[in-house]
Amino acid sequence: MDKRIARSGASPEREGAAGRRGLSEANAPERATGPAPAASAEAKPALCEGCDSSCERFAEAALRGEGISVGYGERVIIEPMDVAVPAGRVTAVIGPNGCGKSTLLKALARTIPLRGGAVYLNGQAIAELPTVEVARQMALLPQSPQAPGGLTVGELVAYGRYPHQRGLGRLTRDDRAIIDWALDLTHLDAFADRSLDALSGGQRQRAWIAMALAQDTGLILLDEPTTYLDMAHQLEVLELLRALNREQGKTIALVIHELNLAARFADWMIALRDGTVRAAGTPAEVMTAPLLRDVFGLDALIEPDPWTGRPSLVSYRLAGE
């Protein structure tokens, strides 16, 4: 756990401006005090295999889709499905290339249109919310985001305050305090005046996460935040996201390809194949040999990780070899 994040506490806006718009303490996700076990007597009921909206867990979802479907032209990408992102948890969306993971994230974030169904953000129909209100409740970090050349880290992070600005859009004292807070949490305060182009891959990804933090939302969606990063930088980014969840109460949902990292850092996993939900549950429930055979076409050897106790993919081969 990142001790620096633990010391920093809540954002300046949440500490000193109880009346400001944004996610209130009453509606904020319940904070977890440590890594959630794969299963426990106190764990909430798991969603059924089909992720049916009748499941009890849906009532507490920060973001949920009911009967949502997506397509481009005549091609159907996501078949009608029910899916939920549990509040106050880290959710990992896994599945093979082309199965609809990124499309699902975009559909839940309202960046692409639905063919059918509805998405609910903190219990409200997202289609009925003004764009600025959605941005005050949910931040989205797309895959491989691009910034204008020459932009500094501080300037990028300041963009996160856009949904909260009034009038001429000038940064207020509160805005600057939140920007400084986001830079500090991501260990980028010494890089505020440095060009984004001069950063390493891991530092650049942290800068984008800092921008999402400056948006000061209760929910953060990330599309493949570890892509193109080496193993050390992947861990750096995922440790940061888990600390944001544990210490700041952020609900995190991310698309990720690395199965062992998904099982290690997530509380909840959603497995997709061919535009359908094949399973949703804890890592122990989803990271199983039969499920990986169904979703990825693999014969998998899975053992408990000796350090974390989470399921770990030790070896695999194409099914039937």
Side-chain angles (χ1 to χ4, degrees):
M1 184 63 62
D2 193 318
K3 294 181 180 178
R4 187 172 184 178
I5 290 182
R7 287 200 308 269
S8 299
S11 74
E13 182 168 86
R14 295 193 192 281
E15 286 184 337
R20 284 196 183 86
R21 298 187 68 176
L23 212 60
S24 68
E25 288 297 330
N27 293 326
E30 181 181 352
R31 297 190 180 187
T33 57
S40 72
E42 297 180 357
K44 294 187 179 299
L47 294 177
C48 63
E49 182 176 295
C51 212
D52 191 332
S53 62
S54 64
C55 291
E56 181 180 330
R57 192 65 174 264
F58 257 68
E60 299 180 6
L63 185 66
R64 73 180 193 270
E66 296 187 2
I68 60 171
S69 60
V70 179
Y72 301 106
E74 296 182 358
R75 184 185 175 197
V76 176
I77 306 298
I78 293 180
E79 301 285 352
M81 68 166 66
D82 296 329
V83 64
V85 174
R89 304 298 186 207
V90 177
T91 296
V93 182
I94 63 169
N97 290 338
C99 71
K101 300 184 299 296
S102 295
T103 300
L104 172 61
L105 206 68
K106 293 174 184 176
L108 291 174
R110 204 178 73 171
T111 61
I112 58 174
L114 301 176
R115 277 191 170 180
V119 174
Y120 296 88
L121 174 60
N122 294 316
Q124 297 176 288
I126 198 171
E128 299 175 2
L129 293 174
T131 299
V132 70
E133 184 59 33
V134 173
R136 288 171 179 162
Q137 297 187 45
M138 174 174 61
L140 170 66
L141 185 58
Q143 187 181 71
S144 303
Q146 300 295 319
L151 198 69
T152 68
V153 173
E155 290 169 338
L156 175 69
V157 176
Y159 285 160
R161 297 306 301 158
Y162 176 77
H164 303 276
Q165 291 177 348
R166 300 284 193 273
L168 298 176
R170 294 176 180 173
L171 294 174
T172 66
R173 182 181 301 176
D174 285 345
D175 289 329
R176 296 188 185 281
I178 291 170
I179 291 167
D180 290 343
W181 169 77
L183 288 168
D184 180 62
L185 287 185
T186 52
H187 302 179
L188 291 172
D189 39 349
F191 297 84
D193 297 324
R194 186 172 299 187
S195 171
L196 199 63
D197 300 328
L199 301 185
S200 69
Q203 291 169 335
R204 191 176 301 114
Q205 194 66 288
R206 280 191 282 131
W208 286 102
I209 293 172
M211 185 191 73
L213 275 176
Q215 200 170 323
D216 200 24
T217 64
L219 171 64
I220 302 176
L221 308 182
L222 305 100
D223 191 0
E224 299 190 26
T226 58
T227 298
Y228 307 126
L229 298 182
D230 61 36
M231 289 187 293
H233 284 123
Q234 287 177 348
L235 285 176
E236 177 184 307
V237 168
L238 291 171
E239 288 280 6
L240 170 62
L241 293 175
R242 183 166 63 181
L244 292 173
N245 168 255
R246 300 308 195 239
E247 301 300 331
Q248 300 295 319
K250 304 292 185 183
T251 298
I252 307 287
L254 69 155
V255 170
I256 187 168
H257 281 285
E258 297 82 3
L259 296 182
N260 281 342
L261 292 179
R264 177 174 175 175
F265 288 96
D267 306 303
W268 196 253
M269 295 177 68
I270 299 170
L272 300 184
R273 181 177 177 182
D274 298 330
T276 63
V277 175
R278 294 303 178 96
T282 65
E285 294 167 332
V286 173
M287 275 282 284
T288 65
L291 191 282
L292 295 189
R293 185 181 182 95
D294 175 48
V295 172
F296 294 96
L298 298 174
D299 286 330
L301 176 61
I302 299 173
E303 300 287 348
D305 185 299
W307 287 352
T308 67
R310 298 290 186 96
S312 178
L313 179 60
V314 176
S315 188
Y316 59 93
R317 63 188 179 187
L318 292 175
E321 283 190 352

